[in-house]
Amino acid sequence: SRGLGDVYKRQEFYCNCSKERVAMAIMSVGKDEIDQMIEEGNPIEVKWHCCNTAYNFSIDDLKHLRELCEKRR
């Protein structure tokens, strides 16, 4: 007789998130929203919804993302 372990193979979860992907998501909100985040003066933490990994962005990181938004125009 076969046990449940034989029938149900272990499923592994893999998330392909990265800080770069999260940065792209932040940039997608636009320059004005990023400016507002910068004006608030606090670093931000973004948790990726699939794996709950936290990514932190400093004010300098946000300023860099804003510059990249401006270059995309």
Side-chain angles (χ1 to χ4, degrees), residues 32-43:
D32 292 338
E33 285 290 325
I34 296 172
D35 282 340
Q36 186 176 2
M37 293 178 209
I38 293 168
E39 287 174 20
E40 290 175 5
N42 298 315

Side-chain angles (χ1 to χ4, degrees), residues 3-30:
L4 286 178
D6 294 330
V7 177
Y8 298 102
K9 293 186 179 188
R10 180 183 158 136
Q11 296 285 323
E12 291 191 27
F13 175 77
Y14 171 74
C15 184
N16 63 350
C17 69
S18 66
K19 189 163 184 173
E20 291 78 20
R21 287 188 73 173
V22 175
M24 294 296 289
I26 293 171
M27 288 172 52
S28 73
V29 301

